[in-house]
Amino acid sequence: EEDSLCPFIRLQEKKKQAQQMQKDLEVKEEAFRARMEAIACRWRDLQAKEAQLNAYMQKSGRILQENDKMRIQAIKKARREREMKMQKENELLTAKKELEALINKHQKLCDRLQKYSIFSKYLEDVVKVLHFEDVDTVLWRYKTLVRMHKDLLQAEQERMEASKQAKELLTQYTEVKQDEILQYNKKLAQLKLRFDEAHSDVLTWESRWAHIQNVATQKTLELGTTRMAILNLFQ
């Protein structure tokens, strides 16, 4: 009876503890609701004060805005004029630099043209000697030869790369096959050893078989002799 009552008593105690916890929770919830209501009231007061402060600030802002409007416009106008002046000065400076660069480039081109004028004379002589139509034909022929030379160099380089790759593949293939040959040699040595062992076993078993045959022959002769003796005794 005590064993059956103990779980019941523990269950009652757990129920009491749960009821007490429920009461404590309700008390805390009530206190929390009261605190939240107080916070909500305070928040409404703060919002009302904030609205009053915003209205005052808006009124003061309009007055300050009206007073500062003319001053801001004057500052903006002066700033725009100063920026435009600086922009014009920068554009003028940039144009001067570009002009100087163009003058230098023109001078370099003139110097280069003067320097390369001898090649123009040389090309004219080439046209006369080799019976080309004009200088452009000579240049076209030169560019064609240069392009063909470049293509040949590229083809030679590709051939060398292909040959290099083929050599590498051949080396790898040779190494693999050498490994395979070594493995086959090992297997061949093992098979030869097994063959020698089997051959030795065959010789042993052949000698045993010959011995067995000899014994069988002797036993057969003995059996025949015994049969003849029995037959003679019977007769």
Side-chain angles (χ1 to χ4, degrees), residues 46-62:
L46 289 173
Q47 285 182 342
K49 291 181 180 179
E50 185 179 1
Q52 294 176 0
L53 182 61
N54 289 331
Y56 177 75
M57 291 296 294
Q58 289 177 0
K59 184 176 180 181
S60 299
R62 285 195 297 271

Side-chain angles (χ1 to χ4, degrees), residues 15-180:
K15 287 183 178 180
K16 289 181 180 180
Q17 291 178 1
Q19 291 175 358
Q20 185 63 34
M21 290 176 66
Q22 182 66 28
K23 291 179 181 179
D24 295 338
L25 182 61
E26 291 176 356
V27 172
K28 289 181 179 180
E29 288 179 352
E30 186 65 26
F32 179 74
R33 283 195 294 270
R35 186 176 179 183
M36 290 301 296
E37 289 178 359
I39 291 172
C41 292
R42 187 176 180 184
W43 178 252
R44 286 192 293 271
D45 294 337
L46 289 173
Q47 285 182 342
K49 291 181 180 179
E50 185 179 1
Q52 294 176 0
L53 182 61
N54 289 331
Y56 177 75
M57 291 296 294
Q58 289 177 0
K59 184 176 180 181
S60 299
R62 285 195 297 271
I63 295 172
L64 292 173
Q65 187 176 5
E66 291 175 357
N67 292 332
D68 293 341
K69 188 175 182 179
M70 297 298 294
R71 182 174 60 83
I72 293 171
Q73 290 178 355
I75 292 172
K76 288 183 179 180
K77 184 177 180 180
R79 184 181 297 171
R80 285 196 299 270
E81 291 177 354
R82 185 168 62 254
E83 290 177 354
M84 290 178 65
K85 183 179 179 181
M86 291 176 65
Q87 184 178 358
K88 295 296 182 182
E89 291 177 353
N90 291 330
E91 290 177 357
L92 180 60
L93 182 61
T94 303
K96 287 181 180 180
K97 290 181 179 179
E98 291 178 354
L99 180 61
E100 291 177 357
L102 289 174
I103 293 172
N104 293 329
K105 186 176 181 180
H106 181 264
Q107 186 63 38
K108 289 180 180 179
L109 290 174
C110 291
D111 295 339
R112 186 177 295 176
L113 181 62
Q114 184 66 29
K115 181 179 179 180
Y116 292 160
S117 61
I118 184 173
F119 297 106
S120 177
K121 179 69 168 58
Y122 173 76
L123 290 174
E124 292 175 357
D125 294 337
V126 170
V127 171
K128 293 178 182 178
V129 173
L130 299 179
H131 304 289
F132 284 99
E133 294 180 358
D134 51 12
V135 175
D136 292 335
T137 306
V138 177
L139 294 176
W140 177 82
R141 179 63 177 171
Y142 172 74
K143 291 179 180 178
T144 302
L145 293 174
V146 170
R147 186 170 59 253
M148 290 176 64
H149 179 67
K150 185 177 180 181
D151 294 338
L152 289 173
L153 289 176
Q154 185 176 359
E156 180 65 18
Q157 185 176 2
E158 291 177 355
R159 186 189 66 79
M160 292 177 66
E161 290 292 335
S163 177
K164 184 178 178 181
Q165 292 179 359
K167 288 180 179 179
E168 292 177 354
L169 291 174
L170 179 60
T171 303
Q172 294 176 0
Y173 180 78
T174 304
E175 292 176 354
V176 171
K177 291 303 177 183
Q178 287 179 353
D179 293 337
E180 290 180 356

Side-chain angles (χ1 to χ4, degrees), residues 175-189:
E175 292 176 354
V176 171
K177 291 303 177 183
Q178 287 179 353
D179 293 337
E180 290 180 356
I181 290 171
L182 290 175
Q183 295 295 329
Y184 287 142
N185 288 331
K186 290 180 180 179
K187 290 182 178 179
L188 182 61

Side-chain angles (χ1 to χ4, degrees), residues 211-227:
H211 177 69
I212 291 170
Q213 285 180 344
N214 292 328
V215 172
T217 301
Q218 293 177 0
K219 296 296 182 182
T220 302
L221 291 173
E222 290 178 359
L223 180 61
T225 302
T226 304
R227 286 180 177 179

Side-chain angles (χ1 to χ4, degrees), residues 200-214:
S200 177
D201 293 339
V202 167
L203 293 176
T204 302
W205 285 108
E206 285 180 351
S207 62
R208 290 183 180 179
W209 176 247
H211 177 69
I212 291 170
Q213 285 180 344
N214 292 328

